[in-house]
Amino acid sequence: MGAIFKGNLTLSSMIYVDGIIEGDVLSTDSVVVGKNGILKGDVKAKKIVINGEIRGNVVADSIEILAGATLMGDMEVYELSCEPSGRFIGHCKYIEQELSSSYQTIEPDKE
């Protein structure tokens, strides 16, 4: 198991998660959850690649669920790719245009 981080993250760069994050993630770039990664919280990013597990709602221009990965939560997405044996448990809403310009105006909930 990798590191455990508890709290919300707001990033202007890509993040690769191979440990555990408990909190919301907002990135103007990509969020990549590695094979050993678990993200427990909502995610909004330009691109989300899941090779591990996300337990929360996601919003992105592009979402990729790789073989063996799991997304448990609702998604809003412009482009979706799910490999065989990739699992999605939730509801999906396709959006008609990319959201890239809105990432800087929406912040994760503050506690």
Side-chain angles (χ1 to χ4, degrees), residues 40-94:
K40 301 175 185 178
D42 296 340
V43 181
K44 184 168 185 177
K46 182 172 180 61
K47 181 175 184 176
I48 300 171
V49 179
I50 309 165
N51 198 18
E53 184 174 323
I54 292 182
R55 300 178 199 164
N57 299 324
V58 296
V59 178
D61 288 339
S62 172
I63 298 175
E64 295 178 32
I65 303 172
L66 304 180
T70 301
L71 169 58
M72 292 193 321
D74 296 338
M75 75 166 87
E76 290 185 38
V77 64
Y78 180 72
E79 287 183 352
L80 172 64
S81 169
C82 186
E83 292 183 353
S85 80
R87 292 170 293 211
F88 168 55
I89 303 162
H91 296 94
C92 179
K93 176 183 175 184
Y94 283 99

Side-chain angles (χ1 to χ4, degrees), residues 5 7-15 17 21 23-32 39 41-48 57-60 99-110:
F5 177 86
N8 297 331
L9 292 171
T10 301
L11 309 161
S12 59
S13 62
M14 187 270 256
I15 183 170
V17 179
I21 292 181
D24 298 338
V25 177
L26 173 66
S27 175
T28 57
D29 201 331
S30 299
V31 174
V32 180
L39 203 157
D42 296 340
V43 181
K44 184 168 185 177
K46 182 172 180 61
K47 181 175 184 176
I48 300 171
N57 299 324
V58 296
V59 178
L99 296 172
S100 297
S101 62
S102 70
Y103 296 117
Q104 296 175 1
T105 61
I106 297 177
E107 297 182 16
D109 293 336
K110 295 182 176 114

